[in-house]
Amino acid sequence: MRKLVVPALVVVSALYFAPHAVAQQAAAPTFNKDVAPIFFANCTSCHRPGDIAPMSLLTYKDARPWAKSIASKVADGTMPPWHADPQYGKFVGARALGAANKETIAKWVAAGAPEGKASDLPAAPVYTDEWNIGTPDAVLSMQEDYPIPATGEIPYQYLVIPANFEEDRFITDWEIRPGDRRAVHHLLVYLLAPKEVVEAQMKRQTQMALQRMFGGAQANGAPAASRPAPPFEMACCFQIPDGEEGGRPLPPEQRKDPGPNYRARPQGMAQGMGGFSPGGSIRHFPEGMGMRIPKGYSLVFQMHYTTYGKATTDRSKIGLKFARTTPKTILNTMALINASFAIPPGAQNHMVENTMTFNRDTVIYSLIPHTHVRGTGWHYEATYPDGRKEVILSVPKYDFNWQHEYVFTQPWKVPAGTTLQAKAWYDNSAGNKSNPDATRTVTWGDQTWEEMMYTSITFYMPPPPTTSAQQQ
Ligand code: HEC
C-alpha cells in the first residue's frame, strides 16, 4: 500500500512545486542513465578493447574524451555504420539509432557530457571469446599467422582454408572469428573446387565450344528452343588464368612486385558462402535450410585487412555446424554483373546498370553489393510480372570499406518473370578522396584501382508444389 502511495506523491509534488527542475532534468541526459544503454546496444560490439573501432565506448572514462566526435558522427549518420536506406526492406543486423536516441546523444554532449549517478548505470554487455553458435562440429582455420605491418594499405589477400570433407557437408550455422579483430575489416568466404573439378569443367567448356563451332546446337536432335531448361547446377569456379587477377593485365611497366606476403586469388575459386564484417559474424539458417560444402572442396577467405599503427598477425577461423540430415533447401549463390562499362575520367556521378529476369520462382536470402573505391551508391528495383515495381534495397551511401551482406529478415520471394534491375554509381572525380587517379578511364578489374559492378546473390529454389495427397 505504501509503495503505491509514495511514488505517486513524489510525482505530484515534483510537478506541482518544481516544474522547472523536471524540465531541466529531462533536458540534460547523463551517461549512466541515458547514453550508456544506447552505446551498449548500438556501439560497443565494435567499440570495445581489441575490436575494430579506434576507441572503447564501454565506460564513461573511455567515452568522455570522444564526446564532440560522437556528436558529429551520430548527427551526420556515419556512426553506427550502416549504409542502406531504412525505408526499403528489412535486413538482419540493420543499424539505426532512431531520432530519439540521436537527440539524447546530441543533448548529452551539448550539456557537457555529464556522467550522472553511479546507481543509474546498467550492467555492460559481456563479450565472450566462446562460440556464439554453440560448439561447432568443425573449426576450419587459416594455415598461417598472416603478417600485417603497422602502417600502409594492404590489398585483398586470399587465404586457402583446407576442409577436405570426405562427403558433402550441409551447414546450418556458421560463425567467423577474426584472429585480430582490430585488423580484419571484412572477410568473405568462398568455396574452392579441387583440381579435378576445375580440370573437368575446363574440358567440358572446350567441348561445348567445339560443339557450338561445328553445329553442336542441334546435337541432341531438338532445336535449342524446345529443349527443357537444364536443372540448376552449381558452377565450379571462375576461370582466371594462373597468376592473373581478372580484368585486363597491367602493362609490364606498371606491374609491381607484390612482395612475399601477397596471397593471390587461387585457381578454382567458386561460389561465395557469405561474409563477416565487424559487429556481426554469425549465420543461422532457418529450419530445413543449409549451405553445401561439397566433398573435396576447401574454402578461401578473402581478407580485407586494415593497419592500426602496430605490427600484428592474423589467423582467422570459421566454426561450422552440420545438418544431421540433408536439408530440403540448399542455398546457392549467383552474381549479377556488368563488366562492360567504362567510367570516363573526372565523371562525378557515372551510373552503370544491369538487369536479370528470373526464369523460375526463386527465393533470395541476401545481397552483397560490391564496387571499389569509386563506388558511391547502389539501388535495386524489381518489376513483378504484373507490372508492380518495388525497391528491394537502396544503398545511397555505399562505402567500399564496409562490405555488408544484406540478409533479408524475411527472404524475398521472387516469382518467375520478375526482372531485377541493379544500378551502381561511381565518382571518378578528383573530389572523391578515395579516388587513386581521376584522369583514367576506369574499366572492370579485380584491383581496387579498377572497378566492378558486382552483386553476389544468395538464393534458393522453393520446393516444388506438393500435391494434395502429400499434404496433411
Ligand atoms: C560495426 C562496427 C561499429 C559500430 C557498431 C560503431 N562503430 Fe564507431 N567506428 C567504427 C570504426 C571501424 C571506426 C573507425 C573509422 C571507420 O573505419 O569508419 C569508428 C569510428 C567512430 C568515431 C570516430 C572516432 C574518431 O576518430 O574521431 C566515432 C565518434 C564513433 N565511431 C562513434 C560510434 C558510436 C557513437 C556508435 C554507436 C552509436 C558507433 N560508433 C558504432 C566501428 C563501429
Side-chain angles (χ1 to χ4, degrees), residues 66-76 105-106 109-110:
W66 298 93
K68 280 228 164 73
S69 175
I70 290 169
S72 87
K73 300 280 178 189
V74 163
D76 73 9
I105 291 173
V109 175

Side-chain angles (χ1 to χ4, degrees), residues 102-405:
K102 280 184 163 185
E103 197 182 318
T104 302
I105 291 173
K107 282 189 176 158
W108 172 64
V109 175
E115 180 169 12
K117 279 198 303 222
S119 58
D120 285 340
L121 184 66
V126 179
Y127 296 100
T128 89
D129 262 348
E130 305 292 309
W131 293 99
N132 294 297
I133 53 169
T135 310
D137 293 313
V139 177
L140 307 179
S141 171
M142 276 166 52
Q143 300 292 289
E144 61 172 314
D145 295 318
Y146 184 80
I148 298 159
T151 55
E153 271 185 36
I154 307 173
Y156 285 4
Q157 304 291 328
Y158 295 88
L159 280 298
V160 173
I161 318 296
N164 301 321
F165 297 132
E166 281 168 10
E167 54 195 270
D168 285 4
R169 292 290 192 188
F170 297 94
I171 311 305
T172 59
D173 299 78
W174 57 249
E175 179 170 359
I176 291 166
R177 296 270 296 275
D180 183 339
R181 288 183 178 272
R182 281 210 71 176
V184 179
H185 214 290
H186 86 247
L187 184 171
L188 292 182
V189 185
Y190 293 88
L191 291 174
L192 181 68
K195 234 181 163 152
E196 35 321 337
V197 175
V198 181
E199 280 162 8
Q201 174 171 303
M202 283 178 162
K203 222 160 122 187
R204 223 174 29 238
Q205 281 179 343
T206 316
Q207 273 168 358
M208 273 160 56
L210 286 173
Q211 268 188 4
R212 270 199 303 274
M213 267 195 280
F214 302 110
Q218 300 285 334
N220 71 358
S226 70
R227 266 182 264 145
F232 178 81
E233 210 184 300
M234 194 176 86
C236 149
C237 39
F238 307 121
Q239 297 292 355
I240 295 172
D242 272 334
E244 284 185 23
E245 295 287 336
R248 293 172 312 170
L250 282 177
E253 69 281 6
Q254 283 184 33
R255 281 181 214 165
K256 280 190 289 206
D257 176 5
N261 293 330
Y262 187 54
R263 307 287 178 269
R265 178 206 276 268
Q267 188 66 264
M269 230 167 88
Q271 67 170 345
M273 286 182 62
F276 160 86
S277 60
S281 56
I282 293 178
R283 275 300 166 271
H284 170 68
F285 300 120
E287 188 69 33
M289 197 184 284
M291 230 173 214
R292 186 165 76 115
I293 301 183
K295 168 185 165 189
Y297 275 57
S298 289
L299 304 182
V300 177
F301 287 173
Q302 179 203 63
M303 305 299 303
H304 177 192
Y305 288 122
T306 44
T307 56
Y308 60 89
K310 197 178 127 234
T312 180
T313 60
D314 174 65
R315 189 187 285 246
S316 295
K317 55 190 173 187
I318 185 169
L320 305 169
K321 282 180 116 174
F322 300 146
R324 305 259 172 275
T325 53
T326 306
K328 278 208 301 267
T329 307
I330 309 294
L331 286 154
N332 278 293
T333 55
M334 60 180 162
L336 174 58
I337 293 172
N338 180 344
S340 61
F341 56 81
I343 308 167
Q348 221 170 29
N349 200 24
H350 185 80
M351 195 264 284
V352 176
E353 67 181 309
N354 201 2
T355 57
M356 69 192 287
T357 300
F358 292 81
N359 64 0
R360 60 187 83 183
D361 291 350
T362 306
V363 184
I364 295 188
Y365 177 80
S366 72
L367 298 172
I368 307 180
H370 178 75
T371 50
H372 292 165
V373 292
R374 293 174 176 89
T376 56
W378 278 90
H379 193 81
Y380 298 87
E381 189 175 84
T383 306
Y384 295 107
D386 62 6
R388 196 166 54 88
K389 287 181 188 291
E390 186 184 11
V391 176
I392 298 306
L393 167 67
S394 174
V395 187
K397 289 189 294 181
Y398 176 86
D399 181 345
F400 172 71
N401 282 317
W402 293 97
Q403 297 289 326
H404 294 297
E405 178 176 4

Side-chain angles (χ1 to χ4, degrees), residues 51-80:
D51 212 293
I52 187 82
M55 75 287 192
S56 164
L57 295 178
L58 270 170
T59 67
Y60 180 69
K61 232 175 105 206
D62 291 340
R64 178 65 188 85
W66 298 93
K68 280 228 164 73
S69 175
I70 290 169
S72 87
K73 300 280 178 189
V74 163
D76 73 9
T78 320
M79 288 289 148

